[in-house]
Amino acid sequence: MSQSDIPSAEVVLTPEQEKELANCAEQLVALGRKTTAQTYEYGEQLSKAQTLLPPKKVGQWLGEHCGIKTKMAKNYTRVFHELAAYRVRLEKAAAAPAAMFALLRATDDAIENVLAVYEDGKRPTVAQIKEMVSGAGKVETPEVNVLDMPGRAGCLKVAEQRLKSNIALFCDLLSKILEAIEVAAKKFDAGVRVIKSDLVVAVELDARHAHDLFSLTLAPVLVHSRDDWANWRSTSYGRDSAWGRLQRVLSNMGGKDSWPTGPAFKAWIVDDAYPLLKFAVRGEALPSSGEIDPSIVTLNTSSEAEAIQAADEAKADKATRRSPVATPANGNVVALASRRQAGGADNATG
């Protein structure tokens, strides 16, 4: 027999239950109920309290300790239970409590439609959410595979999908790397030894994949000006920008042979990798850069790429000049100049 089957007058809470109920009351008073996370936590504490109290006592207890009605309490507990699968996305969207109440009993498709609006950077009102949930605000249109959409609009739609998925994966990888690097940085600060091989195992593969995604999604394109037949490829932003430095850190971190050794290893983790990862994941300003207003920042990837291209080509020319010229065996190889002259003659007579 459960507590709800026993007359309320006969229900006696154990000391442990009394303590747990008192703790729920303290947590509920402390919570503000204004943020998305607080809404979930509020519903969780209410749910715990309701499992301890007999049904007829819940309303009285809520009035004494929370100052809310039973109906409102049910909304919070339902958010905690029914929207649990969407918690991470709703918290990222910073959905208000009233907006989440409007999602209760909505179909999965309707909730996905509302989340798509949030994730597109918009802030739907409660009335708009109710319309979307009821279907009144949704125009039925046939689904179209973006890979079949024509023209520039289709191209942009495909790119938008790829960008969205790539950036989500990229940020997840950076967060995982940051967790491991943060532990290492704190160990260094505390004078505790950091085992390099363990850190390599923790981050090397994720860093390599993060660098791949950076190259595919964020990096500028290098177009060779001296060789029309050379493949276009992604290149780096250089070391003068924060994202360019992060790109280089990820490149080095993705190959253990590129990791610094000795005292330079600690400096690389603490002074370079750790601040750059916090900059990228948490939006923290770099120690020496101060706050940057994104609205006044311009990005000239063309000039960056041209400068890097010039450096790459100069490096390639230098390597070519240094390369020893092999001496051909007599009678086996025609000299380069002779081959070109012969080819020209063939073309002229062809």
Side-chain angles (χ1 to χ4, degrees):
M1 182 180 293
S2 65
Q3 280 191 343
S4 60
D5 297 325
I6 304 173
S8 59
E10 298 179 13
V11 174
V12 178
L13 299 180
T14 66
E16 291 77 12
Q17 290 173 324
E18 290 280 6
K19 184 177 180 180
E20 188 175 354
L21 195 59
N23 181 62
C24 287
E26 290 178 6
Q27 294 292 327
L28 289 166
V29 171
L31 287 169
R33 291 183 290 161
K34 293 183 179 179
T35 69
T36 313
Q38 288 172 342
T39 302
Y40 275 101
E41 292 168 12
Y42 202 83
E44 182 179 9
Q45 294 301 324
L46 285 173
S47 182
K48 288 180 181 178
Q50 289 179 2
T51 60
L52 297 170
L53 290 164
K56 292 184 180 180
K57 293 289 185 180
V58 171
Q60 178 184 346
W61 187 89
L62 289 172
E64 292 174 355
H65 295 89
C66 309
I68 61 173
K69 301 291 185 181
T70 304
K71 183 178 180 180
M72 181 60 70
K74 286 182 179 178
N75 283 337
Y76 284 102
T77 56
R78 287 179 60 196
V79 165
F80 173 67
H81 291 293
E82 297 176 25
L83 300 181
Y86 303 98
R87 180 167 183 169
V88 173
R89 295 169 68 188
L90 284 168
E91 287 184 4
K92 285 184 179 180
M100 289 189 286
F101 296 161
L103 292 175
L104 296 174
R105 290 188 180 175
T107 64
D108 290 340
D109 288 343
I111 295 175
E112 286 292 340
N113 289 335
V114 174
L115 285 171
V117 174
Y118 274 115
E119 290 166 355
D120 197 34
K122 300 175 183 177
R123 303 290 302 174
T125 64
V126 174
Q128 288 171 333
I129 292 174
K130 288 180 177 179
E131 285 185 1
M132 295 177 70
V133 168
S134 67
K138 183 180 178 182
V139 178
E140 292 296 333
T141 56
E143 291 188 6
V144 178
N145 185 345
V146 295
L147 294 177
D148 295 326
M149 291 180 65
R152 182 183 178 89
C155 181
L156 289 172
K157 199 66 178 177
V158 172
E160 179 185 310
Q161 267 198 359
R162 295 276 62 79
L163 179 66
K164 186 176 180 179
S165 60
N166 283 5
I167 291 299
L169 182 54
F170 177 70
C171 291
D172 287 344
L173 288 172
L174 288 188
S175 296
K176 288 176 62 179
I177 297 168
L178 175 58
E179 287 180 10
I181 295 298
E182 188 163 50
V183 171
K186 289 180 178 179
K187 283 184 177 180
F188 276 128
D189 289 343
V192 178
R193 181 189 174 200
V194 174
I195 300 175
K196 182 178 176 181
S197 59
D198 290 347
L199 192 56
V200 167
V201 171
V203 305
E204 182 184 25
L205 191 58
D206 286 339
R208 181 174 300 182
H209 292 158
H211 182 264
D212 290 341
L213 285 169
F214 193 112
S215 298
L216 289 167
T217 311
L218 302 176
V221 175
L222 175 63
V223 180
H224 287 273
S225 60
R226 300 186 184 183
D227 186 357
D228 292 339
W229 291 96
N231 291 333
W232 294 2
R233 61 178 177 84
S234 62
T235 185
S236 62
Y237 283 118
R239 305 181 192 180
D240 295 335
S241 64
W243 286 100
R245 287 168 56 198
L246 176 68
Q247 184 182 15
R248 183 174 180 82
V249 163
L250 292 174
S251 176
N252 291 338
M253 196 173 285
K256 62 183 179 182
D257 294 337
S258 300
W259 287 40
T261 58
F265 171 58
K266 175 182 176 180
W268 182 59
I269 294 296
V270 174
D271 301 328
D272 203 12
Y274 187 35
L276 285 167
L277 286 164
K278 289 193 292 182
F279 163 83
V281 175
R282 300 172 183 166
E284 296 184 16
L286 294 174
S288 60
S289 65
E291 293 293 336
I292 300 175
D293 183 357
S295 65
I296 63 172
V297 175
T298 58
L299 177 63
N300 190 342
T301 57
S302 176
S303 61
E304 284 270 14
E306 288 172 3
I308 294 166
Q309 175 183 339
D312 286 350
E313 291 176 347
K315 190 184 298 182
D317 289 345
K318 189 175 182 181
T320 302
R321 289 196 299 272
R322 287 182 177 178
S323 300
V325 178
T327 302
N330 291 334
N332 292 335
V333 180
V334 179
L336 181 61
S338 300
R339 291 205 305 272
R340 286 177 176 166
Q341 291 173 1
D346 291 341
N347 290 335
T349 59

